[in-house]
Amino acid sequence: MIPLMALLFAVNSNAQTGIKLQKREFRGAWIQTVNGQFMRMSTAAMQQTLRSQLNELQKDGINAIIFQVRPECDALYESKLEPWSRYLTGVQGKAPSPYWDPLKWMIDECHKRGMELHAWLNPYRAKTAGTTELASNHIAIRHPESVFPYNGQFILNPGQPQNREHIYKVVDDILTRYDVDGIHIDDYFYPYPAAGQVIRDDKEFASHSNGIKNKDDWRRDNVNIFIKQLNEAIKKRKPWVKFGVSPFGIYRNKKTAPNIGSETSGLQNYDDLYADVLLWVNNGWVDYCVPQLYWSIGHKAADYKTLAIWWNKYAGQRPLYIGESVVQTTKDADIDNPTINQMAAKFKLRAQLPNVKGAVLWYAKAVADNVGNYGNTLKDYYWKYPALQPAMPFIDDKAPKKPKHVKPIWTEDGYILFWEAPTAKHWADSVQKYVVYRFAPGEKINTDDPSKIVTITYNPWFKLPYDKGRVKYTYVITALDRMSNESKKVKKKIKL
């Protein structure tokens, strides 16, 4: 048996060479709350925990946080539509004390670090199996007919149009009051099948069948309508907010669907969860897709490599990011070299798939805690340099104007390079962030080289590393709009 420590830490000394560093790449991490990791923490303790995680994730190259704000028709933010989450205070409906708004706080903290913040909602789950008491203003109390029980949970019935409308209102409320960069939903549509459990929707099928004869097709249609209309609602309120979905990792098995299925033998999105993910991707109803491929390379029922190749082939109409388990990746031995784990092999595989534009890591705490040396390997090798978000030309493909009045100034805080945002008449022209590049004397100015990126920042300034003023460097500043379209460059030579 291979010693565990050797398996976990060997990846650093054997990192794959030859993988081209990406200038644009989605580097996400999920921060979940439904596991109770923050429950009953004081305001100060939770903020300190999150701040510590974000600091470490920033060092590790993460550029997007997917933060769970609605686990069971509740809220980790101030809401008049749904109660405060018990996963925050321990009691559903109880506001945090001292008072704070975790979503607003997270947006501010992520933006300080140049990260995007995507608000993660579980659309249909109204009660987890572990919740024993619901607040008086919870939808299952106010409208018990809107949910059905399933395996200890309550599920908002997707067959009721008013439930879709409720979710749209919740999302619109978030968009109206918070500067989120994305709205993210996960794999919980109709519930995961459980032995002896029945989905109670005969009444809805009889009254809202829309002429569809087959109940399975009707359930899929309910979810299809929801996804399409949610995307439209998001774009109507804020066209720049990205709508992403993270489905279960298997669409269909080849045994079930010979023409399109994957060589797998697990639960299926299409047949078991009534989620036709490819329809959403190919119709442009989502802006990005993150299939959860938490298995190993070589897994008998659901091989990571098989599935990554399958999603690359069939889901390339929208940016595709791979959902990856940090713990599983660092626990499993590499197929070809059992003295190391599978991190290097998975990064190499993803780099070879042209439609894969990044990864989302499950979960953030495992990265921040450097489980299996995963965080250090990101920081020292794979995500050593900052990366811009992948382009989304289907939303906007026009670059903003370049920054103005770039000038280094001595201040009481040191030597600071300042600039100003260009003027903008429309949201698509408005500058959101900036990229700062640095080139040594004699180096060719090449902004396609990600190793020259010093930082990606929301601030119109950068503190210069002054040292005796003997070497003249060239700094290049570009502007990014909300869709990360990049402006023309502005150069400034500075002695440091």
Side-chain angles (χ1 to χ4, degrees):
M1 181 176 291
I2 305 160
L4 180 61
M5 292 300 288
L7 182 64
L8 294 182
F9 288 93
V11 67
N12 236 5
S13 61
N14 194 56
Q16 294 285 343
T17 58
I19 296 178
K20 182 182 177 182
L21 297 175
Q22 299 297 316
K23 178 179 173 178
R24 290 184 180 271
E25 190 172 29
F26 193 87
R27 300 172 177 176
W30 281 290
I31 295 183
Q32 86 275 39
T33 55
V34 74
N35 68 344
Q37 64 174 316
F38 304 114
M39 193 185 291
R40 299 187 183 90
M41 273 190 181
S42 69
T43 297
M46 184 171 172
Q47 289 180 352
Q48 179 54 39
T49 300
L50 287 168
R51 190 179 290 114
S52 177
Q53 285 190 14
L54 292 176
N55 286 341
E56 197 58 44
L57 295 169
Q58 181 185 21
K59 295 175 188 175
D60 295 340
I62 301 294
N63 62 16
I65 296 296
I66 299 174
F67 181 54
Q68 189 175 29
V69 299
R70 185 183 183 261
E72 49 178 3
C73 291
D74 53 359
L76 276 93
Y77 59 93
E78 185 178 288
S79 172
K80 294 181 180 178
L81 300 175
E82 296 185 315
W84 281 101
S85 176
R86 79 175 182 94
Y87 292 107
L88 180 62
T89 63
V91 178
Q92 192 176 93
K94 181 181 178 181
S97 180
Y99 181 85
W100 70 303
D101 186 322
L103 177 55
K104 183 181 185 304
W105 187 91
M106 281 291 288
I107 292 168
D108 292 342
E109 292 295 317
C110 286
H111 287 182
K112 284 179 189 176
R113 294 165 176 81
M115 300 172 173
E116 289 191 346
L117 188 286
H118 294 223
W120 164 18
L121 298 82
N122 302 88
Y124 293 119
R125 186 172 61 201
K127 184 187 85 70
T128 63
T131 298
T132 58
E133 187 173 354
L134 297 174
S136 60
N137 62 331
H138 189 274
I139 190 170
I141 300 298
R142 292 186 294 109
H143 298 287
E145 75 285 355
S146 68
V147 303
F148 60 78
Y150 193 92
N151 201 31
Q153 306 173 84
F154 286 160
I155 307 297
L156 271 185
N157 195 328
Q160 296 182 11
Q162 63 268 30
N163 285 338
R164 294 195 291 268
E165 294 300 326
H166 175 72
I167 301 168
Y168 304 153
K169 288 179 182 177
V170 168
V171 171
D172 192 64
D173 178 53
I174 291 173
L175 294 176
T176 301
R177 296 187 296 116
Y178 297 91
D179 188 21
V180 296
D181 301 289
I183 294 292
H184 181 92
I185 61 174
D186 55 19
D187 52 321
Y188 291 100
F189 302 104
Y190 278 86
Y192 276 68
Q197 300 292 311
V198 177
I199 295 174
R200 301 176 186 177
D201 59 358
D202 288 345
K203 179 182 177 182
E204 286 75 19
F205 183 47
S207 58
H208 299 295
S209 67
N210 298 320
I212 299 173
K213 304 297 183 183
N214 181 281
K215 185 182 274 192
D216 289 355
D217 290 338
W218 171 73
R219 288 174 177 169
R220 273 185 289 273
D221 189 59
N222 290 331
V223 183
N224 292 340
I225 291 170
F226 166 70
I227 295 293
K228 181 176 185 292
Q229 292 183 347
L230 178 56
N231 179 61
E232 291 169 351
I234 292 168
K235 295 302 182 283
K236 181 179 179 181
R237 175 62 65 184
K238 288 184 176 177
W240 60 86
V241 171
K242 303 167 185 177
F243 176 35
V245 61
S246 180
F248 182 73
I250 299 172
Y251 176 67
R252 303 189 82 184
N253 299 310
K254 186 172 282 292
K255 184 185 293 185
T256 307
N259 293 332
I260 199 171
S262 53
E263 291 284 1
T264 50
S265 57
L267 180 137
Q268 306 166 100
N269 273 291
Y270 184 92
D271 304 270
D272 300 313
L273 303 178
Y274 307 101
D276 191 353
V277 183
L278 289 193
L279 180 72
W280 313 339
V281 169
N282 292 326
N283 281 344
W285 296 347
V286 296
D287 298 319
Y288 67 86
C289 179
V290 192
Q292 297 172 21
L293 306 191
Y294 295 162
W295 303 282
S296 315
I297 296 175
H299 191 284
K300 290 183 179 179
D303 173 44
Y304 178 99
K305 182 176 181 180
T306 297
L307 285 164
I309 292 171
W310 186 93
W311 284 98
N312 176 75
K313 180 178 180 180
Y314 290 103
Q317 294 300 312
R318 285 292 183 262
L320 173 64
Y321 317 137
I322 300 300
E324 177 149 335
S325 167
V326 171
V327 172
Q328 194 66 46
T329 297
T330 55
K331 185 174 71 173
D332 292 327
D334 183 90
I335 297 296
D336 300 318
N337 182 0
T339 64
I340 64 170
N341 65 40
Q342 292 194 356
M343 183 178 185
K346 289 183 176 181
F347 267 82
K348 183 178 181 181
L349 172 63
R350 293 201 302 270
Q352 294 169 345
L353 300 175
N355 291 322
V356 174
K357 306 298 183 183
V360 183
L361 305 179
W362 178 259
Y363 53 102
K365 186 177 186 300
V367 184
D369 290 348
N370 195 34
V371 169
N373 211 35
Y374 199 100
N376 280 350
T377 307
L378 291 178
K379 176 171 53 183
D380 296 339
Y381 182 66
Y382 293 109
W383 293 351
K384 183 177 181 178
Y385 305 106
L388 284 67
Q389 296 292 339
M392 292 188 172
F394 47 87
I395 296 178
D396 171 43
D397 62 356
K398 184 181 178 182
K401 295 178 181 179
K402 62 187 179 182
K404 303 186 299 183
H405 307 138
V406 179
K407 186 177 182 180
I409 299 174
W410 277 103
T411 73
E412 60 183 15
D413 294 321
Y415 204 21
I416 311 293
L417 184 62
F418 289 98
W419 57 86
E420 294 178 13
T423 56
K425 297 181 180 179
H426 187 258
W427 73 260
D429 306 319
S430 178
V431 169
Q432 185 77 350
K433 291 183 282 191
Y434 304 91
V435 188
V436 180
Y437 304 83
R438 179 170 117 150
F439 299 89
E443 281 188 320
K444 181 181 178 182
I445 306 300
N446 177 17
T447 55
D448 291 328
D449 181 355
S451 72
K452 302 304 176 185
I453 299 176
V454 177
T455 189
I456 299 171
T457 178
Y458 285 77
N459 300 320
W461 53 266
F462 174 73
K463 187 172 182 179
L464 295 162
Y466 184 80
D467 181 24
K468 300 178 181 178
R470 295 177 179 175
V471 182
K472 183 180 285 187
Y473 293 92
T474 300
Y475 277 82
V476 172
I477 315 297
T478 60
L480 300 176
D481 62 18
R482 286 187 176 271
M483 305 317 302
S484 289
N485 296 305
E486 189 174 19
S487 75
K488 294 180 179 179
K489 54 185 178 286
V490 180
K491 295 185 287 187
K492 196 72 176 180
K493 291 186 178 181
I494 305 169
K495 286 185 177 182
L496 297 176

